[in-house]
């Protein structure tokens, strides 16, 4: 079952800069689309390129209750900002 955003099926992607105190500027991407059964689904992804360690970092989550996920974005953003590599 493919769960990728499909613009023809109402998929939508919002991407914005996102700054982490540990990794600098990255991206925050929110994706909204419709499952094959017609229900909504939302995902959020954070991505950074850590040149000092020569790695790319991605934190991703999704939930089938878009309202609950979006109501939690402040807490999820705070969590994303708290991640660090020892």
């Amino acid at each position: 079952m493919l769960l990728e955003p499909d613009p023809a099926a109402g998929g939508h992607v919002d991407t914005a800069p996102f700054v982490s105190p540990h990794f600098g500027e990255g991206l925050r991407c929110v994706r909204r689309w419709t499952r094959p059964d017609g229900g909504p689904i939302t995902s959020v992804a954070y991505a950074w390129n850590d040149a000092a360690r020569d790695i790319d970092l991605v934190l991703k989550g999704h939930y089938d209750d878009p309202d609950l996920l979006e109501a939690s974005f402040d807490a999820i953003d705070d969590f994303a900002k708290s991640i660090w590599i020892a």
Side-chain angles (χ1 to χ4, degrees), residues 2 5 8 18 20 52 59 67 70-71:
L2 184 62
F18 184 83
S20 161
L59 171 66
D67 293 333
E70 290 183 25

Side-chain angles (χ1 to χ4, degrees), residues 68-83:
L68 181 58
L69 183 66
E70 290 183 25
S72 303
F73 277 163
D74 288 342
I76 297 168
D77 285 352
D78 289 344
F79 176 74
K81 290 176 184 175
S82 75
I83 295 172

Side-chain angles (χ1 to χ4, degrees), residues 13-62:
V13 179
D14 292 315
T15 303
F18 184 83
V19 178
S20 161
H22 306 287
F23 303 118
E25 188 166 332
L27 294 174
R28 178 180 186 257
C29 181
V30 177
R31 302 167 71 177
R32 296 171 183 86
W33 70 100
T34 303
R35 296 186 313 246
D37 67 4
I41 193 162
T42 300
S43 72
V44 61
Y46 303 83
W48 301 270
N49 174 268
D50 186 342
R53 293 179 181 87
D54 193 29
I55 59 174
D56 293 319
L57 301 157
V58 177
L59 171 66
K60 186 172 183 177
H62 69 277

